[in-house]
Amino acid sequence: MTASESTDRPYGAFPVRIGLQVQPQHAQYADIRRTVAAAEEIGVDVVFNWDHFYPLSGEPEGLHFECWTMLAAWAEATERVEIGALVTCNSYRNPDLLADMARTVDHISDGRLIFGIGSGWFEKDYDEYGYEFGTAGGRLDALGEALPRIEQRWTKLNPKPTRDIPVLIGGGGEKKTLKLVAQHANIWHGFGDAETIAHKHAVLDEHCKTIGRDPGEIERSVAVGDKRPEETGKQLLDVGTRLFTVHAGGPDYDLGLLREWVTWRDEVNAK
């Protein structure tokens, strides 16, 4: 019996979905906007960016754009796809302000925002913009403090969000991050091969069991990198992955691999 078939982890309740992370680096915004439009036309389910201030690869001082102002623009420029950051850095904004920003993009998009968040890791962002980098553990503790504030602020805003905004938490730390996923997230996003992901799922399920939450409520997401669906799709599917995210970087955003994953999604969901 595979993890996806297990009564303990009924991840099969979620359909297979495909995401695209449009890395907002080394490209003009017009190219980014065209890529998002093309991805929506191809049929992708979710389009993500990321929350950094500098490129993560290539020329370190290359072209780059900010995350949340871009998400607001995408909310106006798209009609169907869900949008979000993969992931927002908790360190950069007051949690209550971030909740308000997310609520606003939720309304602009008519309820298509996924609120992706993590504790932060890219030290250059912190140093250049004047944030305290601290320690990995301290940043995770800060995330744990911020999430209840964000959730509470959503209940106080007028108007309230259009829906219960789905929270995606990224990261594989087993003691802190996956515990936060069990407590707060609708989606967990991780990295690695099927064996690694299966192990993380088992740890997450145990955290859910400890707090009395049904692990089947949490959609399982993974970054597939440059892997083709025939290389890794079935293996990740069998251990419970349901959201598969391809990345594309500028200046020339190649969506060939995305098309393969969308075709594979349709074939799997049709069975």
Side-chain angles (χ1 to χ4, degrees):
M1 178 178 290
T2 67
S4 60
E5 297 167 334
S6 169
T7 56
D8 293 328
R9 298 203 296 273
Y11 310 140
F14 294 98
V16 171
R17 301 200 296 162
I18 303 300
L20 173 69
Q21 185 186 54
V22 180
Q23 299 172 348
Q25 60 178 8
H26 308 306
Q28 297 292 345
Y29 180 69
D31 298 317
I32 295 172
R33 184 180 62 243
R34 281 193 291 268
T35 301
V36 173
E40 184 169 50
E41 185 174 351
I42 288 168
V44 75
D45 297 289
V46 189
V47 181
F48 297 105
N49 60 9
W50 65 29
D51 191 15
H52 296 287
F53 306 129
Y54 294 90
L56 298 186
S57 61
E59 169 53 51
E61 301 296 323
L63 299 174
H64 201 278
F65 290 97
E66 194 275 329
C67 170
W68 275 93
T69 45
M70 182 181 297
L71 288 176
W74 288 4
E76 290 280 10
T78 58
E79 297 180 355
R80 179 191 57 78
V81 294
E82 290 190 291
I83 58 174
L86 194 62
V87 290
T88 300
C89 177
N90 176 65
S91 305
Y92 302 157
R93 303 165 190 89
N94 172 283
D96 293 88
L97 171 62
L98 182 57
D100 201 344
M101 293 165 56
R103 181 280 311 252
T104 300
V105 174
D106 166 67
H107 274 265
I108 296 170
S109 67
D110 195 22
R112 293 183 288 117
L113 177 72
I114 292 175
F115 182 71
I117 192 166
S119 60
W121 63 274
F122 190 45
E123 190 168 2
K124 181 176 180 177
D125 287 339
Y126 289 78
D127 292 345
E128 292 284 350
Y129 277 58
Y131 297 104
E132 181 180 353
F133 188 60
T135 65
R139 293 193 299 276
L140 278 167
D141 291 341
L143 177 60
E145 294 168 2
L147 285 164
R149 287 180 58 182
I150 291 166
E151 293 164 352
Q152 185 178 36
R153 179 56 56 185
W154 281 337
T155 70
K156 295 179 178 180
L157 291 169
N158 185 16
K160 289 180 169 54
T162 66
R163 62 172 177 168
D164 291 333
I165 298 174
V167 174
L168 177 155
I169 294 178
E174 297 181 8
K175 293 183 178 179
K176 291 186 176 182
T177 302
L178 293 179
K179 184 176 181 179
L180 291 175
V181 174
Q183 293 169 334
H184 299 282
N186 307 96
I187 307 169
W188 173 68
H189 181 78
F191 305 85
D193 60 17
E195 183 178 1
T196 299
I197 294 298
H199 171 71
K200 300 296 183 181
H201 286 178
V203 174
L204 175 55
D205 292 352
E206 282 300 311
H207 284 303
C208 288
K209 181 179 178 181
T210 298
I211 65 171
R213 184 179 182 188
D214 177 2
E217 296 176 355
I218 302 173
E219 185 178 12
R220 313 304 168 102
S221 170
V222 72
V224 298
D226 59 0
K227 297 290 187 181
R228 303 176 69 180
E230 58 265 33
E231 294 179 85
T232 192
K234 185 180 186 303
Q235 294 92 328
L236 290 168
L237 182 72
D238 284 347
V239 299
T241 302
R242 291 297 179 268
L243 175 55
F244 300 77
T245 297
V246 180
H247 67 259
D252 300 314
Y253 291 101
D254 184 350
L255 299 185
L257 184 60
L258 176 67
R259 289 184 174 89
E260 293 184 30
W261 278 97
V262 168
T263 298
W264 177 81
R265 174 203 67 192
D266 294 343
E267 293 170 351
V268 171
N269 286 338
K271 294 178 180 178

